[in-house]
Amino acid sequence: MNHTILLVDDLQMFLEIEKDFFKYAQVDLLTARDGIEALEVVKNRKPDLIFMDLQMPRMDGAQCCSAIRSDPELARTPVVLISSSSDAKDKEMSLAAGCNYFLSKPAGRDRFLEIAREFIPGINRRDHRIPCDVGAVLNVGGQPIACSLHDLGAEGAFVVTDFPGQPGNIVSLTFTLPDGSVIDSPCKIVWTSESMVFRPKGLGVKFALMPKEVKSALARYLEGKSR
């Protein structure tokens, strides 16, 4: 049985964009055009996760989130509130309403999927990730920054760091696996995260142009951990 995600936005264009983000994921999608409609869907369908716009007519996202949190049967439903505004008050209002995460527009497919994986693990992930607590070094413009890994896969990793990277930036990541293999590879920052329910603050990175011998060493380690 597939998990269910509810997408809420008063603009059909954004609903279609968000639906496209999940078109290859094995989830059932529901939609609503405002907070009142969303609340009815939540009561009747009990979705596993909600992505909801903050600014909407009739009932906005924060009001709907508050209503969900006040209902004992719905209160544990994960809610991600989304805003195109950079006003800090929007984030404060959203968190006060009880949302699990505040997402600023624009945000792409990778960002939506990574957030969804916090609540629905494994959704549309191409490579298997393993939990990992390994010290590492980010090299940003020639400056080494100490960090650590939270999880690791063949295509990328989540790096625990306070460094405020920007999606699209290229950095270098170096770490030594428990078997002694040294992994040193350029990476593209795919997304950044504040501390979340299941994940600390840091960066989601995708390995880029990893040397063949390094890729082989990483693959051997991951294969051994998956047995």
Side-chain angles (χ1 to χ4, degrees), residues 21-145:
F21 290 160
F22 294 100
K23 70 179 180 180
Y24 297 117
Q26 292 184 331
V27 296
D28 295 326
L29 297 177
L30 306 170
T31 61
R33 297 294 294 270
D34 58 45
I36 293 176
E37 193 175 314
L39 195 55
E40 285 301 309
V41 174
V42 175
K43 290 177 179 178
N44 293 327
R45 300 294 299 275
K46 305 292 193 302
D48 299 293
L49 175 62
I50 303 169
F51 284 92
M52 181 158 49
D53 190 44
L54 180 61
Q55 292 91 6
M56 297 184 295
R58 298 210 300 169
M59 177 187 282
D60 65 31
Q63 291 170 326
C64 183
C65 184
S66 294
I68 291 170
R69 293 290 176 256
S70 66
D71 187 325
E73 292 188 6
L74 310 176
R76 296 178 64 85
T77 307
V79 178
V80 178
L81 287 179
I82 307 168
S83 177
S84 57
S85 170
S86 58
D87 192 336
K89 292 182 179 179
D90 282 351
K91 183 174 183 179
E92 293 173 5
M93 178 173 62
S94 298
L95 295 176
C99 76
N100 296 81
Y101 194 80
F102 178 80
L103 177 62
S104 296
K105 293 179 183 178
R109 176 179 178 273
D110 288 336
R111 191 73 181 99
F112 269 75
L113 288 173
E114 286 293 347
I115 292 174
R117 289 185 192 112
E118 295 292 334
F119 308 99
I120 307 175
I123 179 174
N124 203 45
R125 185 179 287 288
R126 297 173 188 171
D127 65 325
H128 175 65
R129 293 289 179 93
I130 61 170
C132 190
D133 185 13
V134 172
V137 176
L138 273 177
N139 193 300
V140 182
Q143 178 184 359
I145 301 172

Side-chain angles (χ1 to χ4, degrees), residues 177-194:
L177 295 172
D179 65 4
S181 300
V182 177
I183 307 299
D184 186 1
S185 175
C187 300
K188 179 181 178 181
I189 298 176
V190 177
W191 63 288
T192 63
S193 174
E194 297 295 329

Side-chain angles (χ1 to χ4, degrees), residues 128 130 177 179 216-227:
H128 175 65
I130 61 170
L177 295 172
D179 65 4
S216 295
L218 178 58
R220 285 195 300 272
Y221 172 75
L222 294 171
E223 183 179 355
K225 294 295 289 185
S226 63
R227 288 173 182 167

